[in-house]
Amino acid sequence: MSANYIPHRLSAVEVDALRAKYQAERDRRIRPEGAAQYRRAAGEWGFYATDPYTPRAEREPVTDRVEAVVVGGGFGGLLAGARLRQAGVRDLRMIDEAGDFGGTWYWNRYPGIHCDIESTVYMPLLEEVGYVPQWRYAPGEEIRQHAIAIAKRFELYDDTLFHTRVTELRWDDGAGEWTVTTDRGDRFTSRYVVLSSGTLSQPKLPGIPGIEEFGGHTFHTSRWDYGYTGGDQTGGLHKLAGKKVAVVGTGATAIQIVPHLARDAEHLYVFQRTPSTVDVRDNRPIDDAFKASLQPGWQQERMDNFLTIVTGGHAETDLIADGWTATAKLQRQMLTGSVDSNLPAEEREYLDELADFRKMNEIRARVDEIVDDPATAELLKPWYRYMCKRPTFSDHYLQTFNRPDVTLVDTADTGGITRMTATSVVVGETAYDVDCVIFATGFEVGISGVVSGTLPVYGRGGMPLLGHWRNGPRTLHGFFSHGFPNLFHLGSLQNAAAVNFVHVLQEQATHIGALVAEAGKRGAARIEPSAEAEEGWIRVIRETAPDNFNFQAECTPGYYNGEGKPRPVNNSYGPGPVAFHDLLREWRAGGGFDEVM
Ligand code: NDP
């Protein structure tokens, strides 16, 4: 596509028309029940979430004592484990509900799985482990193997409890340690507890009437049934020959599986409610010249560079130079007006919106360029602001709709699929007979079990954490709370997140490791912020949190905005992750430890 395809300037009439179109498209997708439209993959639907990869082994309950326990074996937990080892913790126990390390990369093994953030900045601890990824956007299995490599490198397999869910944490002030209870009958104690249970881990199912009547085969993308489809993560789903397959959903997961299903099924029906943005991918192997050029510290440099650019900061060079950084730079340029200094004053007022319109026009133009049938192309065009939904990248997805054996079924007018019968998926009055329905319908958004209440935590004096947080989370820097010594949270909680979430987790894990190392040095039994320190941080969050309520409220529904019902309170640190990481470093260097131990 030529760069000139996008008009640099949009007229006021064009802007008004886009605003009206976005609102109309949002309004026809809003459902009054919001997130309640989904069904949990639990109870009678629990079979959608069982582990298809590792058999569950019986074992005796554990009743000993360790120095630290890390709940969660994804990259957050692995990074915490690595940093705790480096802080000198020997008795370290890792726990996960999965059968091995990897977190989301353990569960998600669908055909076509890749990470859409460049591997050199996404895959953590590459230099420590001594690995350089093979692909710019790594396949899921390469990432999962890297998770295992980290666990081996830092001896995190030594004392793991897999297929185990923590059911309660209770602080014993006399002993100065936590009692940890699990669903496998374990009851052991630990001085430190790190919680890193992930944000998008529990698969969810659409609340389609009649879903239970369907007599064909079904599964969720995060529990791929290769026994049914054949093949593996690289495709070759040979058992789908002669089968009619339905995919429900068109998010970041569906974008990756659809080309494979189309290739191997007799016919593929893609049930779409809201199209994703699908930008250029341009994946390629990482070449030897790049590998040879790497100097010590190279990964941190790339990670910092990427984080700076995607969060709107300025960097002299763009080391990653991909769809994420290009869009962020476009938005930054529009915001600072540096692209077009001749813009009239009234346009400067909505420069960020203009940048967004331009990006989305580009995304929509790409659909027209690739998809042959104009009616299908029209349906595949997203009409919302770029960050309303998770952006996606693919050089194969849109092309799939040019195949005669693929049908796009748009369900926006019917609010999704109308119902399912024993043999079909019905939209409006039209029934589509299928052998198999694959739910690419995403995950529940939980900040962690402690926030959702599935993991009760009792601190000093038996105080429930959710009682302490009855008016919202209360922490210092998002890590720890007054009355809950030696308990650390990893994830997005009163801190600053970014699209490369693993980078954010790495900084958090480094901070926790530094706290534990310092406590060891001082012989301090407790790491705990004062009530004043906690109150001070809440004030900072309140004063700096960006007010993006209106932006979210105007977005098309999805998990980013609580399915059209955004939370009125934003709990993030306004200056963003780069400033937050600086703040943590300065706190550590400037006597912060004295405040908490
Ligand atoms: P999403 O939540 O993004 O998508 C769910 C899809 O299901 C949406 O298209 C939704 O439509 C659709 N849907 C839900 N209910 C119905 C219904 N009743 N009828 C029709 N359609 C329905 O889930 P994903 O698994 O795709 O992605 C989840 C997240 O995982 C991503 O946002 C991303 O953060 C992460 N991910 C990251 C990848 C990476 O490379 N780093 C790759 C894949 C996923 P609607 O939009 O209308 O609600």
Side-chain angles (χ1 to χ4, degrees), residues 38 114-116 249-253 273-274 389-390 417 440 442 559:
Y38 289 100
H114 281 73
C115 182
D116 62 14
T250 50
T253 300
R273 197 165 61 178
T274 313
K389 280 197 177 283
R390 177 63 152 68
I417 289 163
Y559 79 85

Side-chain angles (χ1 to χ4, degrees), residues 131-436:
Y131 185 67
V132 180
Q134 297 178 35
W135 286 86
R136 201 167 171 215
Y137 302 97
E141 186 59 15
E142 186 180 359
I143 302 173
R144 193 175 77 82
Q145 291 302 332
H146 182 61
I148 291 170
I150 292 173
K152 288 183 177 158
R153 159 76 178 74
F154 292 96
E155 297 167 358
L156 303 179
Y157 275 106
D158 286 1
D159 190 6
T160 55
L161 297 179
F162 287 127
H163 285 153
T164 301
R165 186 165 54 85
V166 177
T167 50
E168 188 189 274
L169 295 171
R170 193 175 282 273
W171 175 251
D172 176 343
D173 207 40
E177 56 190 19
W178 289 92
T179 300
V180 182
T181 314
T182 79
D183 65 348
R184 305 291 292 263
D186 308 306
R187 191 178 166 80
F188 62 92
T189 60
S190 178
R191 174 182 291 202
Y192 298 110
V193 176
V194 181
L195 293 171
S196 179
S197 45
T199 46
L200 293 173
S201 41
Q202 180 68 23
K204 64 181 165 48
L205 301 164
I208 301 171
I211 186 172
E212 61 282 349
E213 285 168 26
F214 183 66
H217 198 69
T218 63
F219 56 89
H220 187 272
T221 50
S222 66
R223 306 289 188 274
W224 196 270
D225 187 349
Y226 284 107
Y228 180 82
T229 65
D232 59 25
Q233 292 173 46
T234 63
L237 312 172
H238 58 94
K239 292 189 184 172
L240 293 183
K243 293 207 164 67
K244 296 191 188 74
V245 176
V247 171
V248 182
T250 50
T253 300
I255 292 324
Q256 297 187 338
I257 62 175
V258 157
H260 291 282
L261 290 170
R263 214 168 293 142
D264 295 319
E266 178 190 302
H267 199 97
L268 177 67
Y269 296 94
V270 180
F271 291 89
Q272 169 187 276
R273 197 165 61 178
T274 313
S276 283
T277 60
V278 188
D279 211 341
V280 174
R281 175 63 314 171
D282 190 22
N283 199 5
R284 54 177 182 265
I286 289 181
D287 59 33
D288 292 341
F290 174 82
K291 289 180 193 168
S293 74
L294 299 175
Q295 301 297 323
W298 68 266
Q299 187 177 26
Q300 193 64 48
E301 188 190 356
R302 286 179 82 81
M303 287 169 76
D304 290 343
N305 181 263
F306 183 74
L307 189 69
T308 299
I309 294 174
V310 295
T311 55
H314 173 71
E316 284 305 320
T317 11
D318 178 359
L319 295 174
I320 308 304
D322 72 354
W324 290 109
T325 59
T327 304
K329 282 197 296 186
L330 167 72
Q331 290 182 335
R332 183 175 188 279
Q333 284 166 341
M334 292 297 286
L335 278 167
T336 59
S338 61
V339 151
D340 186 350
S341 54
N342 299 320
L343 281 175
E346 66 273 17
E347 282 194 21
R348 286 174 186 272
E349 284 172 19
Y350 52 92
L351 283 170
D352 57 337
E353 194 187 17
L354 274 184
D356 211 302
F357 285 145
R358 283 182 54 200
K359 180 69 207 173
M360 291 302 286
N361 279 349
E362 191 182 299
I363 292 280
R364 290 185 285 262
R366 184 167 186 252
V367 179
D368 277 332
E369 226 176 48
I370 293 173
V371 179
D372 298 337
D373 172 43
T376 306
E378 218 41 49
L379 293 172
L380 286 164
K381 289 181 191 169
W383 298 98
Y384 46 78
R385 290 186 65 166
Y386 185 68
M387 283 311 289
C388 282
K389 280 197 177 283
R390 177 63 152 68
T392 79
F393 304 84
S394 173
D395 297 334
H396 310 287
Y397 176 74
L398 293 170
Q399 291 79 349
T400 303
F401 295 95
N402 292 332
R403 296 178 65 112
D405 48 6
V406 174
T407 305
L408 177 69
V409 184
D410 191 66
T411 69
D413 280 335
T414 49
I417 289 163
T418 308
R419 62 178 185 280
M420 285 168 71
T421 70
T423 55
S424 67
V425 178
V426 183
V427 176
E429 296 305 316
T430 311
Y432 299 86
D433 279 343
V434 290
D435 301 292
C436 172

Side-chain angles (χ1 to χ4, degrees), residues 457-459 462-469 484:
V457 179
Y458 302 95
M463 165 64 103
L465 185 66
L466 286 186
H468 184 55
W469 288 1
F484 299 82

